[in-house]
Amino acid sequence: MCGIVGYVGKRDAVPLLVEGLRRLEYRGYDSAGVAVQNGRGLELRKCAGKIANLERLIDESPVGGNIGIAHTRWATHGAPNQTNAHPHTDCKQEVALVHNGIIENNDVLRAKLTELGHVFSTDTDTEVLAHLIEETFRGNLEQAVAAALTQIEGTFGLAVMSQGDPGKIVVARRSAPLLLGVGENGDRAMWVASDVAAILGHTRQVIYLEDDEIAILKEGEYETLDLKSIGSPGGLQRIEKEISRVAWDLERIERAGYPHFMLKEIHEQPNTVRDATRGRLLEEEGTARLGGLAEISEQIDRAERIILTACGTSWHAALIGEYLIEEFARIPVEVEYASELRYRNPVIPPNTLVGGISQSGETADTLAAIREAQSRGAATFGIVNVVGSTIARETHAGVYTHAGPEIGVASTKAFVAQVTALALFGLMLARRRGLSILEGRELVKAISGLPAQMEEALSSEDHIREIAAEFQDARNFLYLGRGPNFPIALEGALKLKEISYIHAEGYPAAEMKHGPIALIDEEMPVVFLAPKDSVYSKVVLNIEEVKTRGGRVIAIVTNGDTELAKKVDHLIRVPKTHPLLQPILNAVPLQLLAYHIAVLRGCHVDQPRNLAKSVTVE
Ligand code: G6P
């Protein structure tokens, strides 16, 4: 999704801004641009495509200045071309701005401004903001921005500069992430970014802006104001904000020697489970301690129903959560796509807990679903990776997944961390509702054993690469599993289509006979999740049905399986754990299979086409 970075200080802003944009590349984008202010006025450079194109442009036509804003765009209104790339300007080229989010009343405003004589040069919704600011400008930029924003319906993370009020960047947010960076060790630089990764190389001191806050950045100073106070007698009211210190460092964000972030992140997963469980497993008591849920402890004990809501891979984690929580704690769980929940008239009776699961903590649909649930009186919690993100802040309580930054657009370790957190949550609920201490201890032991088992699962990589080579030209794939491994079939199929562009579908194995079986022939590889569990023999029957029809089968089995070796084309072994934790281990070979097929097909694994890491628009 779109990225913003801005700088004001002593140094030349351009290389710093371009470096910041590079740190945001992982979010997915289709064009990029930068604007600086200097003695010659506002100067812009922007282009379609990758940041390398922008660098080339700047090389050919150098530009500099010690205050500037930059953007990576992911098109929503208007094609991804140079014209529509941010920054955008007003008629007189006196205002330059970058924007994340959507201006919903764009059409109305554009018509009104055109009538007033403004000439538009792009197809974007953002451009109306530049013209609105031009209209409202009376010599003070923050006043003009605040006045312009009163006319906006929609969402924004915004950074603006103006020739009429030079030397400052004015920033504002509503439902799009934005933070300020404050220079360290005597550096008087000030930063703004949509994601901390953009500025982490320079400072760890950040201020997270909340919705309806506006800030003014100048060299060596900043001021945060309440956007809603516009028009009040004393003008925009100041608000005091705390400076937080970011614990993640840049090295963790870099590839650590792996060819792709995705592969690095897959290999990090044993540590992901360790980090997600650290300090949370109580061996003696046979339970989990999740301090972030203390706020809603009473509601947890009263809960008669849980709704889990999420998008994409996080939705798959939620589905596994349903199996885990229902089986361990016997509380009914419903899983709903956030995009569906937000526009329904959902039944949320008293004593319902609503949990939003999100890696980024910024997904627009998940956030909206959480807000909808809150407006209906539900206690909400987040299972979120990014600390300080909007969902983490807006939910009543939560569990951080502690997976660290996930850069590959296709989620891997964040998913494993989410399922691990859900297992801890299920265990904690179960113990508070009568699961015996002995059963609790068994689960604690099983969860503690996962990291080592995951190392073992990862050791099959060479074998999986060989299988990938055999299937790299397949045009379709089917993934089948049952019980808690059904969501893993969905996730395996999603991973493959996201990064290799091969069409793939996931199904509950027994549903195959109600449709997908018609597709089976020697051209259709079928991946089966077939761990030795209570439905193993049923899955074996499904495998036989596929083999009889000439299908080629790759089976993920648990160690010690001797039966399937004779029946399938390829066998991938994973260690055996508790049946409800097995999905965590089974995810690993499917991630590796998708990864190696994509690499062999020459695909851009870390930044697949058309996808964004964090979808902050509908
Ligand atoms: C995008 C990403 C997916 C992710 C989904 C939900 O589609 O490409 O990898 O699963 O958003 O994101 P979240 O940050 O809420 O988990």
Side-chain angles (χ1 to χ4, degrees), residues 311-314 358-360 363 409 411 418 498 612-613 615:
C311 304
T313 289
S314 299
S358 175
Q359 187 286 126
S360 62
T363 301
V409 166
S411 184
Q418 289 166 340
E498 280 180 316
K613 181 70 186 159
V615 182

Side-chain angles (χ1 to χ4, degrees), residues 129-143:
L129 268 172
H131 293 279
L132 266 183
I133 294 168
E134 181 183 9
E135 263 310 304
T136 51
F137 189 75
R138 308 273 179 276
N140 175 290
L141 184 58
E142 59 273 21
Q143 293 296 341

